[in-house]
Amino acid sequence: MPGLRRWSSTNPGAKPQLAQTGALASTAAAGRIDWCRTLVHKGPAALHRDHLRWVRRPAEVPTLHLIALDNSGSMRHGGRLARAKGFAAHLIDDAARAGDQVGLVLFGGQGVQSLLSPTPARRSALGRIQPLGGGGGTPLRAGLRQVQTELLAHRRRHGGGRRLLWLLTDGRSLEQPDAPSAADHIVIVNFDDPVRPLGRCPAWATAWGAELRQPGTP
């Protein structure tokens, strides 16, 4: 390579060895040395720590937990909505501890609302969940369209990272939408009536290849 000088050594096969002390040691802990770029930058001068170039590591994108919360009228029966809000709060708290991102989409009698756009999880978001009420029908298909929009927008902004969808619902909808394709993993949390279940959440999980959980297993 033009301009690249060979490293002089009594052992032709040896790579440059530098004493890992002081600032150099702390810098080296950051990653592997890119020797080709280092030697080109060094040129004919004696090797110094300022010449070192490191293998670039891709920035790690935090996991996104997108919560789709059913706040329809049927979720008000039997304390389902209260338990779903508690489950969502638990997810946000866990995401905040892990340094992940979180988003929250509501779908119910008031239509579809993006209550929290995907953002780094903060415990302050918990205050938005407690006052939520419920009522009306279950616009599941429209809710999942909004979920898909949020997931695609996150992919465009961040590229990498995992995108998890948490669907919190009792399954009281006759709609049969497709799974949001932009989700890397889907968890359906089943808040159906345990005494007279309709069984739609397990059916959706099977059709979508999703994970099915009960509210007691966050």
Side-chain angles (χ1 to χ4, degrees):
M1 180 183 299
L4 177 62
R5 294 174 180 266
R6 295 182 61 84
W7 184 270
S8 58
S9 169
T10 55
N11 180 358
K15 287 186 177 180
Q17 298 295 318
L18 303 178
Q20 305 266 314
T21 59
L24 178 58
S26 61
T27 306
R32 294 186 296 109
I33 297 173
D34 184 330
W35 283 112
C36 186
R37 290 174 56 230
T38 293
L39 296 180
V40 170
H41 186 73
K42 178 189 78 69
L47 185 63
H48 185 268
R49 62 186 176 88
D50 292 338
H51 297 137
L52 294 178
R53 295 295 178 267
W54 304 89
V55 176
R56 297 185 180 93
R57 295 177 176 177
E60 183 176 352
V61 178
T63 296
L64 169 63
H65 301 270
L66 186 56
I67 304 166
L69 175 59
D70 178 356
N71 68 329
S72 63
S74 63
M75 288 287 286
R76 297 174 61 183
H77 299 303
R80 298 172 200 164
L81 182 57
R83 287 185 290 132
K85 291 194 297 183
F87 194 100
H90 187 94
L91 285 175
I92 292 174
D93 190 56
D94 279 355
R97 284 200 299 268
D100 288 340
Q101 297 183 338
V102 70
L104 179 59
V105 172
L106 301 179
F107 58 100
Q110 300 299 316
V112 177
Q113 305 172 61
S114 183
L115 189 67
L116 181 65
S117 296
T119 187
R122 298 287 185 269
R123 289 182 175 87
S124 58
L126 300 178
R128 300 191 182 189
I129 296 177
Q130 294 306 321
L132 293 176
T138 309
L140 177 63
R141 180 175 284 108
L144 293 181
R145 279 200 300 266
Q146 180 62 33
V147 162
Q148 177 76 351
T149 297
E150 299 276 2
L151 293 172
L152 289 174
H154 185 270
R155 177 185 292 173
R156 286 193 297 270
R157 287 195 302 269
H158 300 284
R162 296 189 71 220
R163 284 162 284 271
L164 275 63
L165 169 61
W166 297 81
L167 176 60
L168 280 53
T169 182
D170 58 3
R172 303 272 161 162
S173 173
L174 294 176
E175 297 178 348
Q176 299 292 328
D178 294 330
S181 60
D184 296 309
H185 185 68
I186 300 175
V187 182
I188 300 176
V189 185
N190 184 9
F191 288 89
D192 198 359
D193 185 344
V195 179
R196 297 183 181 86
L198 292 181
R200 289 178 184 145
C201 290
W204 293 337
T206 299
W208 295 354
E211 179 182 350
L212 181 68
R213 293 195 193 180
Q214 301 303 316
T217 56

Short mmCIF file of all heavy atoms in Angstrom, two decimals, residues 65 67 84-104 116 119-127 129-130 166 218:
data_model
loop_
_atom_site.label_atom_id
_atom_site.label_comp_id
_atom_site.label_asym_id
_atom_site.label_seq_id
_atom_site.Cartn_x
_atom_site.Cartn_y
_atom_site.Cartn_z
N HIS A 65 -40.68 -1.20 23.24
CA HIS A 65 -41.86 -1.90 23.71
C HIS A 65 -43.07 -1.03 23.37
O HIS A 65 -43.31 0.00 24.01
CB HIS A 65 -41.80 -2.14 25.21
CG HIS A 65 -40.61 -2.95 25.64
ND1 HIS A 65 -40.63 -4.33 25.72
CD2 HIS A 65 -39.35 -2.56 25.99
CE1 HIS A 65 -39.44 -4.76 26.12
NE2 HIS A 65 -38.66 -3.71 26.28
N ILE A 67 -46.93 -0.65 23.41
CA ILE A 67 -48.08 -1.22 24.12
C ILE A 67 -49.35 -0.76 23.43
O ILE A 67 -49.58 0.44 23.26
CB ILE A 67 -48.09 -0.76 25.59
CG1 ILE A 67 -46.77 -1.13 26.27
CG2 ILE A 67 -49.26 -1.37 26.33
CD1 ILE A 67 -46.56 -0.43 27.61
N ALA A 84 -55.23 -4.23 33.26
CA ALA A 84 -54.44 -3.95 32.05
C ALA A 84 -53.58 -2.72 32.23
O ALA A 84 -52.41 -2.67 31.81
CB ALA A 84 -55.36 -3.79 30.84
N LYS A 85 -54.14 -1.68 32.89
CA LYS A 85 -53.35 -0.48 33.16
C LYS A 85 -52.19 -0.80 34.11
O LYS A 85 -51.08 -0.29 33.94
CB LYS A 85 -54.24 0.62 33.75
CG LYS A 85 -55.24 1.18 32.75
CD LYS A 85 -55.87 2.48 33.23
CE LYS A 85 -56.68 2.31 34.49
NZ LYS A 85 -57.34 3.58 34.89
N GLY A 86 -52.44 -1.67 35.09
CA GLY A 86 -51.35 -2.08 35.98
C GLY A 86 -50.27 -2.85 35.24
O GLY A 86 -49.07 -2.67 35.51
N PHE A 87 -50.69 -3.69 34.30
CA PHE A 87 -49.72 -4.45 33.50
C PHE A 87 -48.89 -3.50 32.65
O PHE A 87 -47.66 -3.64 32.56
CB PHE A 87 -50.47 -5.45 32.61
CG PHE A 87 -49.60 -6.51 32.00
CD1 PHE A 87 -49.54 -7.78 32.54
CD2 PHE A 87 -48.84 -6.25 30.87
CE1 PHE A 87 -48.74 -8.77 31.97
CE2 PHE A 87 -48.05 -7.22 30.29
CZ PHE A 87 -47.99 -8.49 30.85
N ALA A 88 -49.56 -2.52 32.01
CA ALA A 88 -48.84 -1.54 31.19
C ALA A 88 -47.86 -0.74 32.03
O ALA A 88 -46.72 -0.47 31.59
CB ALA A 88 -49.84 -0.61 30.49
N ALA A 89 -48.28 -0.35 33.23
CA ALA A 89 -47.38 0.40 34.12
C ALA A 89 -46.16 -0.43 34.48
O ALA A 89 -45.03 0.08 34.55
CB ALA A 89 -48.13 0.83 35.38
N HIS A 90 -46.36 -1.72 34.71
CA HIS A 90 -45.25 -2.61 35.02
C HIS A 90 -44.27 -2.69 33.85
O HIS A 90 -43.04 -2.67 34.03
CB HIS A 90 -45.79 -4.00 35.36
CG HIS A 90 -44.76 -4.96 35.85
ND1 HIS A 90 -44.49 -5.16 37.19
CD2 HIS A 90 -43.91 -5.79 35.20
CE1 HIS A 90 -43.53 -6.05 37.33
NE2 HIS A 90 -43.16 -6.45 36.13
N LEU A 91 -44.81 -2.76 32.62
CA LEU A 91 -43.95 -2.81 31.43
C LEU A 91 -43.11 -1.53 31.31
O LEU A 91 -41.91 -1.59 31.01
CB LEU A 91 -44.80 -2.98 30.18
CG LEU A 91 -45.40 -4.36 29.91
CD1 LEU A 91 -46.32 -4.30 28.69
CD2 LEU A 91 -44.32 -5.40 29.70
N ILE A 92 -43.75 -0.38 31.52
CA ILE A 92 -43.03 0.88 31.40
C ILE A 92 -41.94 0.98 32.45
O ILE A 92 -40.81 1.42 32.17
CB ILE A 92 -44.01 2.06 31.51
CG1 ILE A 92 -44.94 2.09 30.29
CG2 ILE A 92 -43.27 3.39 31.63
CD1 ILE A 92 -46.04 3.11 30.37
N ASP A 93 -42.25 0.55 33.67
CA ASP A 93 -41.25 0.58 34.74
C ASP A 93 -40.07 -0.32 34.41
O ASP A 93 -38.90 0.07 34.59
CB ASP A 93 -41.91 0.15 36.06
CG ASP A 93 -41.01 0.40 37.26
OD1 ASP A 93 -40.59 1.55 37.47
OD2 ASP A 93 -40.74 -0.57 38.00
N ASP A 94 -40.34 -1.51 33.91
CA ASP A 94 -39.25 -2.42 33.52
C ASP A 94 -38.42 -1.85 32.38
O ASP A 94 -37.19 -1.95 32.36
CB ASP A 94 -39.82 -3.78 33.10
CG ASP A 94 -40.15 -4.67 34.29
OD1 ASP A 94 -39.85 -4.27 35.43
OD2 ASP A 94 -40.73 -5.76 34.07
N ALA A 95 -39.10 -1.23 31.39
CA ALA A 95 -38.38 -0.64 30.26
C ALA A 95 -37.50 0.51 30.71
O ALA A 95 -36.38 0.68 30.21
CB ALA A 95 -39.38 -0.16 29.20
N ALA A 96 -37.97 1.30 31.68
CA ALA A 96 -37.16 2.41 32.20
C ALA A 96 -35.91 1.88 32.88
O ALA A 96 -34.81 2.44 32.72
CB ALA A 96 -37.99 3.26 33.16
N ARG A 97 -36.03 0.80 33.64
CA ARG A 97 -34.86 0.23 34.32
C ARG A 97 -33.87 -0.34 33.31
O ARG A 97 -32.66 -0.30 33.53
CB ARG A 97 -35.30 -0.86 35.30
CG ARG A 97 -35.88 -0.32 36.58
CD ARG A 97 -35.84 -1.38 37.68
NE ARG A 97 -36.62 -2.56 37.32
CZ ARG A 97 -37.90 -2.72 37.65
NH1 ARG A 97 -38.54 -1.78 38.32
NH2 ARG A 97 -38.55 -3.81 37.30
N ALA A 98 -34.38 -0.88 32.19
CA ALA A 98 -33.51 -1.51 31.19
C ALA A 98 -32.93 -0.50 30.20
O ALA A 98 -32.10 -0.87 29.38
CB ALA A 98 -34.28 -2.59 30.44
N GLY A 99 -33.38 0.76 30.25
CA GLY A 99 -32.92 1.74 29.27
C GLY A 99 -33.55 1.56 27.91
O GLY A 99 -32.98 1.98 26.89
N ASP A 100 -34.72 0.93 27.86
CA ASP A 100 -35.41 0.69 26.59
C ASP A 100 -36.34 1.84 26.25
O ASP A 100 -36.51 2.79 27.02
CB ASP A 100 -36.20 -0.62 26.67
CG ASP A 100 -35.30 -1.85 26.65
OD1 ASP A 100 -34.15 -1.72 26.21
OD2 ASP A 100 -35.76 -2.92 27.09
N GLN A 101 -36.98 1.73 25.09
CA GLN A 101 -37.97 2.72 24.67
C GLN A 101 -39.37 2.15 24.82
O GLN A 101 -39.56 0.92 24.83
CB GLN A 101 -37.72 3.12 23.22
CG GLN A 101 -36.38 3.81 23.00
CD GLN A 101 -36.19 4.26 21.57
OE1 GLN A 101 -36.82 3.77 20.65
NE2 GLN A 101 -35.30 5.21 21.37
N VAL A 102 -40.34 3.04 24.92
CA VAL A 102 -41.72 2.59 25.10
C VAL A 102 -42.66 3.53 24.35
O VAL A 102 -42.37 4.72 24.16
CB VAL A 102 -42.08 2.55 26.61
CG1 VAL A 102 -42.18 3.95 27.19
CG2 VAL A 102 -43.37 1.79 26.86
N GLY A 103 -43.77 2.98 23.87
CA GLY A 103 -44.83 3.74 23.24
C GLY A 103 -46.16 3.17 23.69
O GLY A 103 -46.24 2.00 24.12
N LEU A 104 -47.22 3.96 23.61
CA LEU A 104 -48.53 3.52 24.09
C LEU A 104 -49.62 3.98 23.12
O LEU A 104 -49.78 5.18 22.88
CB LEU A 104 -48.81 4.06 25.49
CG LEU A 104 -50.16 3.71 26.12
CD1 LEU A 104 -50.33 2.20 26.25
CD2 LEU A 104 -50.28 4.37 27.50
N LEU A 116 -48.63 7.92 23.81
CA LEU A 116 -47.20 8.12 24.05
C LEU A 116 -46.43 7.64 22.82
O LEU A 116 -46.40 6.44 22.54
CB LEU A 116 -46.76 7.35 25.30
CG LEU A 116 -45.29 7.47 25.72
CD1 LEU A 116 -44.98 8.91 26.13
CD2 LEU A 116 -44.99 6.53 26.88
N THR A 119 -40.46 6.61 22.71
CA THR A 119 -39.48 7.49 23.34
C THR A 119 -38.77 6.72 24.44
O THR A 119 -39.27 5.69 24.89
CB THR A 119 -40.19 8.73 23.91
OG1 THR A 119 -39.25 9.68 24.38
CG2 THR A 119 -41.10 8.34 25.07
N PRO A 120 -37.59 7.16 24.89
CA PRO A 120 -36.96 6.49 26.03
C PRO A 120 -37.93 6.39 27.21
O PRO A 120 -38.59 7.37 27.56
CB PRO A 120 -35.76 7.39 26.34
CG PRO A 120 -35.41 8.01 25.02
CD PRO A 120 -36.73 8.23 24.33
N ALA A 121 -38.04 5.22 27.79
CA ALA A 121 -39.00 4.99 28.86
C ALA A 121 -38.66 5.83 30.09
O ALA A 121 -37.50 5.87 30.51
CB ALA A 121 -39.04 3.51 29.23
N ARG A 122 -39.66 6.49 30.63
CA ARG A 122 -39.52 7.29 31.85
C ARG A 122 -40.65 6.93 32.79
O ARG A 122 -41.79 6.75 32.37
CB ARG A 122 -39.59 8.79 31.53
CG ARG A 122 -38.50 9.30 30.62
CD ARG A 122 -37.15 9.37 31.32
NE ARG A 122 -36.14 9.98 30.47
CZ ARG A 122 -35.35 9.29 29.65
NH1 ARG A 122 -35.49 7.96 29.57
NH2 ARG A 122 -34.44 9.89 28.91
N ARG A 123 -40.34 6.84 34.07
CA ARG A 123 -41.39 6.53 35.05
C ARG A 123 -42.45 7.62 35.12
O ARG A 123 -43.57 7.38 35.57
CB ARG A 123 -40.76 6.29 36.42
CG ARG A 123 -39.98 4.98 36.49
CD ARG A 123 -39.40 4.72 37.87
NE ARG A 123 -38.75 3.41 37.94
CZ ARG A 123 -37.48 3.22 37.61
NH1 ARG A 123 -36.73 4.24 37.20
NH2 ARG A 123 -36.95 2.00 37.69
N SER A 124 -42.11 8.83 34.68
CA SER A 124 -43.08 9.91 34.67
C SER A 124 -44.27 9.60 33.76
O SER A 124 -45.35 10.16 33.93
CB SER A 124 -42.41 11.22 34.23
OG SER A 124 -41.84 11.08 32.94
N ALA A 125 -44.07 8.68 32.78
CA ALA A 125 -45.16 8.31 31.87
C ALA A 125 -46.25 7.54 32.60
O ALA A 125 -47.38 7.44 32.09
CB ALA A 125 -44.61 7.49 30.71
N LEU A 126 -45.94 6.99 33.77
CA LEU A 126 -46.94 6.22 34.50
C LEU A 126 -48.14 7.08 34.87
O LEU A 126 -49.26 6.58 34.99
CB LEU A 126 -46.32 5.62 35.77
CG LEU A 126 -45.14 4.66 35.55
CD1 LEU A 126 -44.59 4.18 36.89
CD2 LEU A 126 -45.56 3.47 34.70
N GLY A 127 -47.92 8.40 35.04
CA GLY A 127 -49.01 9.29 35.39
C GLY A 127 -50.05 9.41 34.30
O GLY A 127 -51.18 9.84 34.57
N ILE A 129 -51.25 6.88 32.62
CA ILE A 129 -52.04 5.66 32.55
C ILE A 129 -53.17 5.65 33.57
O ILE A 129 -54.30 5.26 33.26
CB ILE A 129 -51.13 4.43 32.75
CG1 ILE A 129 -50.13 4.34 31.59
CG2 ILE A 129 -51.94 3.16 32.84
CD1 ILE A 129 -49.15 3.20 31.73
N GLN A 130 -52.89 6.07 34.79
CA GLN A 130 -53.87 5.94 35.87
C GLN A 130 -55.21 6.60 35.57
O GLN A 130 -56.26 6.02 35.89
CB GLN A 130 -53.27 6.51 37.17
CG GLN A 130 -52.08 5.72 37.70
CD GLN A 130 -52.40 4.24 37.88
OE1 GLN A 130 -53.49 3.88 38.31
NE2 GLN A 130 -51.45 3.38 37.53
N TRP A 166 -46.89 -5.31 22.49
CA TRP A 166 -47.66 -5.89 23.60
C TRP A 166 -49.13 -5.51 23.38
O TRP A 166 -49.48 -4.33 23.52
CB TRP A 166 -47.17 -5.35 24.94
CG TRP A 166 -45.75 -5.70 25.27
CD1 TRP A 166 -44.63 -5.09 24.83
CD2 TRP A 166 -45.32 -6.76 26.13
NE1 TRP A 166 -43.51 -5.70 25.36
CE2 TRP A 166 -43.91 -6.72 26.16
CE3 TRP A 166 -45.99 -7.73 26.89
CZ2 TRP A 166 -43.15 -7.62 26.92
CZ3 TRP A 166 -45.24 -8.63 27.63
CH2 TRP A 166 -43.84 -8.57 27.64
N PRO A 218 -46.32 -10.93 33.74
CA PRO A 218 -45.70 -9.84 32.99
C PRO A 218 -44.27 -10.14 32.65
O PRO A 218 -43.67 -11.03 33.24
CB PRO A 218 -45.83 -8.65 33.95
CG PRO A 218 -45.87 -9.26 35.30
CD PRO A 218 -46.56 -10.58 35.15
#
